Amino acid sequence: MIKICLIICLLPLSKAALPLVINTWRFEDATSEAWSTLQKGGSFVDAVERGCGLCEMEQCDGSVGFGDHPDEQGETTLDAMIMNGDTMEVGAVGDLRRIKNAVSVARAVMENTDHTFLVGESASIFAENMGFKSEDLSTNKSITIFSQWLQNNCQPNYRKNVFPDPSKFCGPYKPKTMLRRPKHKKRDIDPRAHDTIGMIVIDKNGKVAAATSTNGASHKIPGRVGDSPVAGAGAYADSIAGGAAATGDGDVMMRFLPSFLAVELMRSGAEPSIACKTAISRIKKYYPTFFGAVICANTTGGYGAACNKIPELSQFSFMVFNSQTNQPRLEKVDCF
Amino acid sequence: MAAVGTWSFSRPAVERMRCMLLDGQNATDVVETAMAEVEDDVDTGRHIVGRGGFPNFKGVVECDAAIMEGEPGRFGAVAALKGIAQPCRVARKVMDRSPHSLLVGEGAESFAQEQGFISEPNNNMLSDHSATAYQEFLEKNKRVKDGHDTLGVSTSGAPFKSPGRVGDSPLPGCGLYADHTVGAAAATGDGDKIMCYCPSFHVVQLMRQGLSPNEACHAVLADIQRRISGDKCFEIGLISLNMKGEVGAASSVAFPYTFWKQGMDLVKELVINQPK
């Protein structure tokens, strides 16, 4: 008698979830752009660059790209980074002036220099030499915001322990003699001033790239660089484990390396949601009212997010696009 | 109480820290004072720190520095800062007098001036040694690849770097990291590469999980070496201290460091990874 044996082999479903694009906030055009770059044969690094780059052009939420969030001098300056989780190379720019495509300049730092991070006017000159167009990043909107801020006695601002009293007056400021150990009271800033795009792309082979782009905090002190262009803070990618990206109050978050921590936890086997939550908890312990969120993704296409619960943020939105969604899908996580 | 510094030239600084600590002074004041003395000393500039340090390829000395307190959330840094011979003092002002963490370039210089620092002309920031080296560089028109040094977290950066180049030193988790529940770590070496691995944060994270400072440093170094498998590892030295005053170090090159712990009469110099 001939018997037929049928063996059904269940393939791990998780691999079907690749490729994956995930980014902070409801920036769906950026998600679509990254996805279509992959579909057209672009690399995982191309995809994350084009995705974030689109937000720079579209001025996503006023928090990315030119024309908004002027600093104390009325200028819009940009921070961005890009990381290749295969080679562990990073390119970053901070306080970039006069150049719109910050994430592409970051890529040029990564691919056309042995350095990792360029800042300020010098970074802008480098960009010009690399063929980027130098142009004024101000718009009528940013100019209006700036002049209204001046008329409003420069409120809010990021000054402390100075005179004249920064809660009432504009500068210039001089330092005030202060007590031995300053009480580290964090000023509550408008949370809408901090919406960075952070994006992770994982291609069908599990290669991970991450990138961020932002125009930083509105009315920041000139020269201020936040977490976004700092590898391990704004974003991190490691094709062995996954990727993570952060958004929120960069002055605080950068001291805790949340993206590096989340990737390290995923490397040890943590689920992306747990990795994100732990990263947020670490900061929350010392800054209970900080504004911030983290997204995480691992190399089998699993993903998650976490955010710190404050009155201004009870739920965090992020976008996901993988072969199961077939379009950019808005997802939300409750903050804790 | 304990203090540790990278490379042999940190010895006088660690000596200074030992005296100030035994005198009961606050740890942050101690680190700031000791570092500022090294930064301002034109002779230590040849070790790529502060005054007398190597300029960028345009001949301008730009410094990076950071200071971090073990209580998380207390951090201040400057990068690509010109004309100030004690950049760690400006970093301290960023920590104490602004809610920001990192100020760079011209903005950092303006902030420093507001805080009462005097910007010095670039010629004052160069020493005979670094000026001569720069002339030689111009003649040869090539970059110096080795010789990256930092003390704690202060550096004039890679000699003849691109203007505006920031290395690992002023970045939290890269050049340094401190956590009062665990300890602290610092890195030195090729900053362009180091900052892709957040090694100081990683060392502290492993110590948090129970590894000794030495085990943590070695584990992070091994991890990095595995990641670049095959290629020769870039220059990286790691030092760490835990809250018990135990010290650890690991390095891809011969790496001297100086160390003092309460109970020791003298600052000790140790070398790891010496070529046989």
Side-chain angles (χ1 to χ4, degrees):
Chain A
M1 203 151 70
I2 298 168
K3 284 184 183 171
I4 298 173
C5 291
L6 291 175
I7 302 168
I8 298 171
C9 193
L10 286 172
L11 291 166
L13 281 173
S14 49
K15 279 289 185 192
L18 292 180
L20 167 70
V21 174
I22 174 172
N23 61 265
T24 56
W25 307 110
R26 197 181 178 153
F27 300 151
E28 48 193 301
D29 290 351
T31 328
S32 300
E33 180 70 19
W35 183 262
S36 73
T37 304
L38 285 176
Q39 297 308 303
K40 287 178 201 158
S43 73
F44 59 116
V45 178
D46 293 334
V48 85
E49 181 197 358
R50 291 192 61 91
C52 289
L54 192 82
C55 255
E56 289 169 342
M57 288 302 113
E58 287 192 349
Q59 304 169 284
C60 286
D61 231 29
S63 289
V64 185
F66 68 103
D68 208 327
H69 288 185
D71 67 15
E72 269 184 2
Q73 300 296 318
E75 187 176 358
T76 298
T77 65
L78 308 180
D79 302 341
M81 69 161 276
I82 190 163
M83 182 163 188
N84 179 330
D86 254 24
T87 60
M88 302 303 281
E89 286 175 309
V90 174
V93 288
D95 190 31
L96 179 72
R97 312 169 73 183
R98 300 182 286 100
I99 311 285
K100 283 185 178 173
N101 321 93
V103 73
S104 296
V105 180
R107 187 166 183 185
V109 173
M110 182 168 77
E111 295 181 348
N112 301 115
T113 80
D114 286 332
H115 295 325
T116 292
F117 196 3
L118 294 184
V119 298
E121 180 61 28
S122 301
S124 307
I125 293 171
F126 163 79
E128 284 176 80
N129 291 338
M130 290 292 112
F132 290 87
K133 187 175 166 203
S134 169
E135 51 192 327
D136 190 353
L137 298 191
S138 300
T139 56
N140 287 337
K141 182 181 181 191
S142 65
I143 292 166
T144 305
I145 291 171
F146 179 57
S147 50
Q148 280 173 355
W149 179 76
L150 286 174
Q151 280 161 35
N152 194 28
N153 295 321
C154 305
Q155 303 300 315
N157 60 61
Y158 284 88
R159 300 287 182 159
K160 67 182 189 188
N161 298 316
V162 293
F163 69 87
D165 183 351
S167 69
K168 296 193 177 86
F169 301 108
C170 290
Y173 303 101
K174 289 271 172 278
K176 203 164 66 168
T177 324
M178 51 181 222
L179 298 166
R180 191 87 192 89
R181 253 188 92 86
K183 246 203 196 124
H184 203 72
K185 198 175 82 165
K186 189 83 181 82
R187 180 191 296 272
D188 290 318
I189 320 284
D190 173 17
R192 301 312 297 170
H194 292 278
D195 301 347
T196 302
I197 179 165
M199 178 181 278
I200 307 158
V201 168
I202 309 184
D203 72 9
K204 61 183 192 302
N205 299 314
K207 289 175 191 282
V208 185
T212 64
S213 184
T214 181
N215 50 30
S218 210
H219 316 305
K220 62 193 176 188
I221 295 174
R224 178 266 191 184
V225 172
D227 64 326
S228 300
V230 177
Y236 203 68
D238 184 342
S239 296
I240 286 176
T247 179
D249 184 347
D251 294 315
V252 168
M253 295 177 79
M254 74 187 289
R255 307 168 200 175
F256 295 89
L257 281 287
S259 301
F260 179 85
L261 177 60
V263 171
E264 200 48 34
L265 292 168
M266 288 191 289
R267 193 210 298 265
S268 307
E271 289 296 312
S273 301
I274 305 293
C276 279
K277 236 181 146 179
T278 307
I280 294 285
S281 298
R282 186 73 71 81
I283 307 171
K284 188 185 175 74
K285 189 173 162 200
Y286 296 95
Y287 287 91
T289 59
F290 89 96
F291 177 77
V294 179
I295 55 171
C296 301
N298 65 22
T299 50
T300 52
Y303 60 85
C307 48
N308 185 39
K309 188 173 182 178
I310 53 173
E312 299 86 350
L313 188 72
S314 56
Q315 225 181 26
F316 171 64
S317 301
F318 60 100
M319 301 302 303
V320 172
F321 201 154
N322 60 24
S323 48
Q324 287 170 348
T325 64
N326 269 322
Q327 60 179 357
R329 183 165 77 196
L330 172 67
E331 299 210 11
K332 295 185 193 198
V333 69
D334 290 328
C335 300
F336 72 97
Chain B
M1 282 188 282
V4 62
T6 53
W7 308 106
S8 302
F9 74 96
S10 67
R11 186 179 206 125
V14 176
E15 263 299 338
R16 186 82 157 102
M17 291 200 280
R18 180 184 78 99
C19 294
M20 289 178 77
L21 283 171
L22 288 172
D23 202 34
Q25 298 204 38
N26 162 273
T28 307
D29 293 339
V30 168
V31 167
E32 183 194 352
T33 304
M35 265 209 324
E37 283 173 1
V38 176
E39 287 172 328
D40 210 357
D41 180 353
V42 72
D43 287 330
T44 56
R46 69 184 64 232
H47 300 293
I48 311 188
V49 182
R51 194 192 298 282
F54 291 82
N56 64 27
F57 72 62
K58 292 216 158 128
V60 179
V61 179
E62 288 178 324
C63 293
D64 307 338
I67 198 158
M68 185 166 193
E69 285 185 354
E71 187 183 327
R74 298 270 300 150
F75 179 87
V78 291
L81 175 64
K82 295 182 231 189
I84 310 281
Q86 299 181 341
C88 76
R89 291 211 193 270
V90 184
R92 174 124 194 226
K93 293 284 185 236
V94 173
M95 179 169 76
D96 287 343
R97 294 183 188 268
S98 91
H100 296 324
S101 289
L102 172 60
L103 294 183
V104 306
E106 283 165 9
E109 199 177 347
S110 298
F111 175 82
Q113 286 163 351
E114 283 167 13
Q115 297 296 321
F117 291 86
I118 313 277
S119 267
E120 298 186 50
N122 192 52
N123 280 341
N124 284 16
M125 294 297 291
L126 288 163
S127 64
D128 291 337
H129 180 259
S130 60
T132 306
Y134 179 60
Q135 289 308 314
E136 287 169 5
F137 161 76
L138 287 179
E139 278 151 37
K140 285 179 201 164
N141 195 30
K142 70 179 183 214
R143 303 275 178 89
V144 170
K145 288 282 180 199
D146 54 7
H148 303 270
D149 285 358
T150 63
L151 171 69
V153 283
S154 186
T155 182
S156 53
F160 321 123
K161 60 192 176 185
S162 296
R165 177 269 191 183
V166 174
D168 67 314
S169 297
L171 302 180
C174 295
L176 80 166
Y177 203 69
D179 183 329
H180 69 139
T181 62
V182 180
T188 178
D190 184 345
D192 294 314
K193 306 280 189 320
I194 287 173
M195 61 197 287
C196 303
Y197 295 91
C198 309
S200 303
F201 181 88
H202 198 180
V203 168
V204 171
Q205 177 68 1
L206 291 176
M207 291 198 295
R208 189 199 304 273
Q209 290 167 4
L211 268 63
S212 74
N214 224 29
E215 286 167 343
C217 286
H218 279 94
V220 170
L221 180 65
D223 204 49
I224 293 172
Q225 284 167 330
R226 249 193 317 270
R227 276 317 256 114
I228 59 176
S229 57
D231 296 340
K232 186 168 175 283
C233 189
F234 53 87
E235 183 182 332
I236 175 172
L238 296 168
I239 53 171
S240 64
L241 266 180
N242 64 15
M243 298 311 285
K244 295 183 227 167
E246 293 165 341
V247 70
S251 173
S252 63
V253 297
F255 178 46
Y257 63 98
T258 60
F259 168 62
W260 170 81
K261 185 178 164 176
Q262 190 167 22
M264 286 167 60
D265 290 330
L266 296 168
V267 172
K268 214 166 150 179
E269 179 168 328
L270 301 142
V271 186
I272 56 163
N273 223 0
Q274 242 175 352
K276 296 188 175 66

